[in-house]
Amino acid sequence: MKNFKIRSSSAQLADFLRDEICSGCLGSVMPGETWLTSNLRVGRNIVREAMKKLEKEGLLIPQGRGRPRLIRRNLDGLPASFRVTLLLYSHSGLHKEDAQRLLRRLGEAGYQVEVASKTLVDLKMDVGRVARMVGEVETDAWIIFAGPRDILEWFAGQATPCFALYGRFPARPMAGTGPGRIPAYQNAIRRLVELGHRRIVFLLPDAMRKPTPSRLLEQILAELDELGIPTGDYTCPEWKQTPEGLRQCLENLFRVTPPSALFIEQPREFHAVQQYLTQRGIIAPRDISLVCTENDPDFEWSFPLISHFDWSLRTTINRVARWVSHVSRGEQDLRSGFTPAKFVEGGTIGPVAKF
């Protein structure tokens, strides 16, 4: 049995501040003792001991009495030598705000960050192809965007630390985070039912539907059942996630019994759906209600405001950065959790159209 060791308050505070430094939460200057004492609610002596420890490690540079300590980065053995590779869902994901903010955040913290040349879409969501690609990449940690269950389970079984950003976290322990969208879906569905909608359709990616329905999809269907809305293949149609596949899916949906409300995952898909509907003279919210289950900075320019889901991207990025900080120091971090998402009602939903 290993020796049980109780850590002092100053050692715990040093760990916390080290995480903040290595994850990029702090800038180039460490806050002063008075600020730390007040905001962290710890004694001044504890703060001073923690500062001395970080100075000995070389993370802080003292500037003399009454002057703030500087934060030093890119020390040997610290983040500069630690390689992180992002495995994106598709190439378009590189231009999204979450990927750009994560790249900037980890780069500013001193890590060597790269993006895998192939995406999950390129690799056909195939575990064997992913395994071969991973074997050709030299890295110290992986961050997988929106991975399906079987691929995340494969990563969880590898020696290299991995983090699931979105996607279906496997049953086995694995670090991960993403928006907790079940309450947002429930609130949006209830609102639409209040407005008279019963033909509600969800355009969901394969990862949420295959090989078995995700927990999120199960909760969506359960909510519809509770409200007396019939569910089936019409509710969550299968479609190929390409521009042609989306158009074919819409053609099928609007051929006989068109939906009165549509939930769409990606902003790019949302705009494509809007364009398709406009070409057919179908306008939201007059003829149909539309909800995007993600947010996009461009939505601020839309009038009326697009109904969407929103969550704190900052909280999500902070969690990933903390994980990288932990594993870069050889610490195991398998915690997973969600950032609460909310439904933002905009002008793209309204009462069901009466014909």
Side-chain angles (χ1 to χ4, degrees):
M1 180 180 292
K2 295 181 179 179
N3 292 332
F4 176 68
K5 192 173 183 179
I6 299 176
R7 295 174 63 78
S8 66
S9 298
S10 61
Q12 294 180 56
L13 177 58
D15 288 344
F16 171 78
L17 294 176
R18 190 186 301 106
D19 283 349
E20 295 292 290
I21 292 171
C22 293
S23 64
C25 291
L26 298 174
S28 59
V29 178
M30 173 62 71
E33 293 178 3
T34 301
W35 189 94
L36 292 170
T37 299
S38 174
N39 285 271
L40 301 182
R41 298 183 180 180
V42 293
R44 189 173 293 272
N45 287 338
I46 293 174
V47 170
R48 288 175 177 170
E49 287 299 318
M51 295 290 206
K52 288 179 181 179
K53 181 174 178 60
L54 296 178
E55 286 176 6
K56 288 181 180 179
E57 294 176 8
L59 278 174
L60 295 182
I61 305 172
Q63 296 293 295
R65 186 177 180 84
R67 300 183 65 188
R69 297 168 174 85
L70 300 181
I71 294 175
R72 175 183 289 162
R73 302 186 187 279
N74 301 338
L75 296 175
D76 292 339
L78 286 173
S81 64
F82 194 79
R83 300 162 298 181
V84 182
T85 303
L86 311 187
L87 176 55
L88 301 177
Y89 183 86
S90 65
H91 289 290
S92 63
L94 180 60
H95 307 292
K96 294 180 66 175
E97 185 180 7
D98 51 4
Q100 288 298 312
R101 286 177 63 171
L102 185 58
L103 285 167
R104 184 167 60 251
R105 175 69 172 276
L106 296 180
E108 289 174 351
Y111 301 102
Q112 297 179 15
V113 191
E114 296 183 353
V115 177
S117 59
K118 294 184 178 180
T119 68
L120 290 174
V121 171
D122 293 334
L123 298 167
K124 312 293 185 185
M125 304 293 171
D126 181 77
V127 174
R129 296 186 183 193
V130 170
R132 287 191 290 275
M133 185 274 293
V134 168
E136 298 171 355
V137 177
E138 293 187 3
T139 191
D140 298 305
W142 286 94
I143 298 174
I144 307 103
F145 283 66
R149 177 180 293 174
D150 55 348
I151 287 177
L152 293 181
E153 286 180 343
W154 180 84
F155 269 103
Q158 307 307 303
T160 304
C162 55
F163 190 96
L165 182 54
Y166 319 130
R168 297 179 65 174
F169 307 162
R172 70 172 66 191
M174 180 181 188
T177 193
R181 294 188 292 177
I182 291 176
Y185 263 109
Q186 291 173 331
N187 290 335
I189 291 170
R190 291 168 191 166
R191 178 59 177 146
L192 287 169
V193 172
E194 287 177 1
L195 293 169
H197 294 272
R198 295 185 62 81
R199 299 191 311 277
I200 305 174
V201 171
F202 301 81
L203 297 181
L204 303 176
D206 286 346
M208 288 181 62
R209 296 183 283 105
K210 299 177 180 179
T212 58
S214 66
R215 179 171 177 268
L216 175 57
L217 179 52
E218 290 176 345
Q219 291 294 317
I220 290 172
L221 297 177
E223 184 67 26
L224 292 171
D225 288 338
E226 185 175 332
L227 294 170
I229 308 298
T231 60
D233 294 340
Y234 176 84
T235 310
C236 186
E238 185 166 334
W239 63 288
K240 187 176 181 181
Q241 290 177 262
T242 63
E244 296 78 14
L246 176 60
R247 185 173 184 84
Q248 185 58 55
C249 178
L250 294 171
E251 290 284 353
N252 294 335
L253 283 172
F254 286 87
R255 181 172 293 122
V256 181
T257 308
S260 64
L262 268 176
F263 282 83
I264 304 134
E265 280 279 302
Q266 299 287 335
R268 64 175 182 176
E269 294 162 3
F270 184 94
H271 294 307
V273 169
Q274 270 194 319
Q275 184 181 37
Y276 171 87
L277 296 175
T278 300
Q279 290 173 347
R280 295 190 53 152
I282 302 171
I283 307 298
R286 184 193 68 191
D287 308 310
I288 191 171
S289 288
L290 301 176
V291 179
C292 185
T293 59
E294 288 195 8
N295 194 3
D296 188 299
D298 291 343
F299 286 174
E300 297 178 1
W301 292 81
S302 299
F303 183 81
L305 177 68
I306 292 171
S307 300
H308 64 277
F309 293 177
D310 193 21
W311 61 89
S312 172
L313 186 55
R314 178 180 180 182
T315 300
T316 301
I317 299 301
N318 283 349
R319 170 62 188 120
V320 183
R322 287 180 182 277
W323 176 80
V324 174
S325 172
H326 292 163
V327 298
S328 70
R329 301 199 305 271
E331 300 175 7
Q332 188 180 59
D333 183 351
L334 300 177
R335 292 171 296 167
S336 63
F338 296 94
T339 302
K342 63 180 180 179
F343 168 53
V344 179
E345 181 173 345
T348 56
I349 71 169
V352 65
K354 292 183 170 44
F355 297 101

